[in-house]
Amino acid sequence: MSLAIVDRLKTIRDQSDTVLRQAIELIGAGASPILLEAMSHSLFAPGKRLRPILTVFAAEACGGDIENALTAGCAVEMIHTYSLIHDDLPAMDDDDLRRGLPTCHVKYGEPLAILAGDALLTGAFQVLAEGYPPRTAAVSCVELARGAGAAGMVDGQVRDLAAEGRVGGLDMPRTLAELEGIHLRKTGALFRSCVRLGAFSALTERDSGRLAEVLPILDEYARAFGLAFQVTDDLLDVEGNAEHTGKRTGKDADRGKMTFPGLVGVAESRRRARELHEQAIAAVRPLGDAARALIDLARLVTDRDR
C-alpha cells in the first residue's frame, strides 16, 4: 500500500472524527451527560472509519468532494456503531471487547448501552436531514433506512442468528449461497448505502442522469467489496489475535456460527477473497482514474490484519 493512500486514509479518519463530534453535539443537545458519554465511548473507540472513507471515495469517483460526502459517511458510521453496541449485547453475540475497549454494555450496563445505540440510530437520520438540501436529504434518508432496516442489515442479523439455531421459524441451510445472503444483508447492505450516499452527495442536485448511470456500477462494487470484507473478517477470526483485531478471536467457531472458513475451508476462503477483490476492481473500471481510490480500498480490505 502506497504512502499516499495511507496518508489519505488518516486524513479522512481525522476529518470523520471532527464531523462525528459535531454530530454528537447536534443530536445530543439537552441530553443526559451519561448518555452522551456512553454513545461517545463506542463511537470514538479506535476504528478504521471504513464507512466514511468508502462514502468519500464513492463521492469523489462521481466528481464530488470530501466535505459534502462526510456528512453522509458519518451518518452511516453512527448506524454501524449502534449495530455494534447491540450486536455485542448478551442477548446477541455477548462480546466484552470491541475496538480494543470494553464493550458499551460492559462499561455502562445493558440498559444504557441499548439506549445509546437507539440514540445513534435515530440521530443518524437527523444528521442527514439537517446536513443536506431537501432532495438529497430525502433520498439519503430512504437509502440509509433500507440499508439498515428490515430488508437490509437487521434481516442479515436475524438470518445470522437463525443459522446458529437462535431464531425459530426460519430455515437456514448451511450453504455458500445462504452464507453470502446473510452477509450481503448484514454487512454488505450498509456498504451499498455508503457508495450510494456518496453518489447522492455528489450528483443529486446537479446531474440526475449521471447518477442513474453510476449507481449500478457502485452497487456491483459494493457487493463484491462487502463479501471480500466479510470473508477476510472470518479468516481473521480464525487466524488473527485480539491484540491486532481489537476483539476476541476464535469466537465464531465456539458458537457454531456459519463462516466462510468453516463452510469451505481456509484455502478456498482466501481464493474467494482474491476473486471478490478482482470483481470489485473490475466493477469500477468504467469510472476511469476517478475510481483509483476505490480500487486501492478494495485491495486494502483483503490485505488487512484487523
Side-chain angles (χ1 to χ4, degrees), residues 2-306:
S2 70
L3 289 177
I5 189 66
V6 170
D7 290 343
R8 189 81 208 288
L9 295 178
K10 183 181 185 306
T11 296
I12 298 174
R13 281 195 294 266
D14 291 345
Q15 291 178 281
S16 297
D17 283 350
T18 298
V19 174
L20 286 168
R21 293 190 190 285
Q22 294 168 349
I24 290 295
E25 291 178 6
L26 171 70
I27 70 174
S32 303
I34 191 62
L35 174 60
L36 297 180
E37 183 182 325
M39 293 162 64
S40 297
H41 170 78
S42 294
L43 189 60
F44 296 106
K48 295 181 286 293
R49 297 294 186 231
L50 179 58
R51 286 148 192 86
I53 289 167
L54 182 57
T55 306
V56 167
F57 287 170
E60 291 178 341
C62 299
D65 59 69
I66 182 172
E67 289 78 12
N68 205 37
L70 270 179
T71 297
C74 288
V76 183
E77 185 72 9
M78 293 165 70
I79 295 283
H80 173 58
T81 303
Y82 121 76
S83 76
L84 298 180
I85 292 173
H86 284 193
D87 204 39
D88 289 336
L89 290 166
M92 298 283 282
D93 280 353
D94 194 17
D95 275 318
D96 54 14
L97 188 68
R98 173 72 68 176
R99 294 174 170 174
L101 296 176
T103 49
C104 195
H105 71 274
V106 168
K107 187 171 178 64
Y108 295 98
E110 288 182 48
L112 189 55
I114 292 169
L115 294 169
D118 292 344
L120 289 168
L121 166 62
T122 52
F125 294 96
Q126 182 182 350
V127 166
L128 289 176
E130 297 194 31
Y132 290 110
R135 188 179 178 194
T136 302
V139 296
S140 297
C141 284
V142 170
E143 174 57 43
L144 190 55
R146 285 175 175 163
M153 181 184 69
V154 171
D155 189 53
Q157 292 173 318
V158 169
R159 290 167 180 265
D160 198 25
L161 290 170
E164 295 178 45
R166 297 172 62 195
V167 172
L170 181 61
D171 182 30
M172 291 295 297
R174 299 180 74 85
T175 65
L176 182 59
E178 292 290 348
L179 180 57
E180 291 191 346
I182 288 171
H183 293 300
L184 285 171
R185 294 170 175 85
K186 185 177 179 181
T187 305
L190 273 193
F191 285 146
R192 183 174 184 263
S193 291
C194 286
V195 298
R196 286 180 151 247
L197 290 173
F200 292 159
S201 75
L203 294 171
T204 299
E205 307 295 330
R206 65 181 179 87
D207 194 343
S208 58
R210 176 62 174 160
L211 181 61
E213 292 175 4
V214 301
L215 286 178
I217 292 171
L218 293 173
D219 285 350
E220 174 57 19
Y221 173 87
R223 180 201 67 80
F225 179 93
L227 286 174
F229 178 91
Q230 189 59 53
V231 174
T232 304
D233 216 45
D234 285 357
L235 285 166
L236 286 173
D237 188 73
V238 173
E239 301 177 321
N241 60 71
E243 182 179 352
H244 279 102
T245 63
K247 57 186 178 180
R248 281 190 293 138
T249 57
K251 63 183 186 301
D252 290 345
D254 293 343
R255 292 176 182 143
K257 188 182 287 288
M258 187 159 56
T259 67
F260 287 95
L263 196 63
V264 300
V266 168
E268 174 60 18
S269 296
R270 287 202 193 101
R271 188 203 66 78
R272 181 64 173 144
R274 290 192 297 270
E275 179 181 65
L276 288 162
H277 164 248
E278 293 301 324
Q279 289 175 9
I281 290 173
V284 292
R285 281 207 177 101
L287 300 178
D289 288 343
R292 171 51 55 189
L294 288 173
I295 290 171
D296 288 341
L297 191 62
R299 183 172 296 110
L300 174 65
V301 160
T302 50
D303 290 345
R304 66 196 170 98
D305 63 356
R306 66 187 66 199

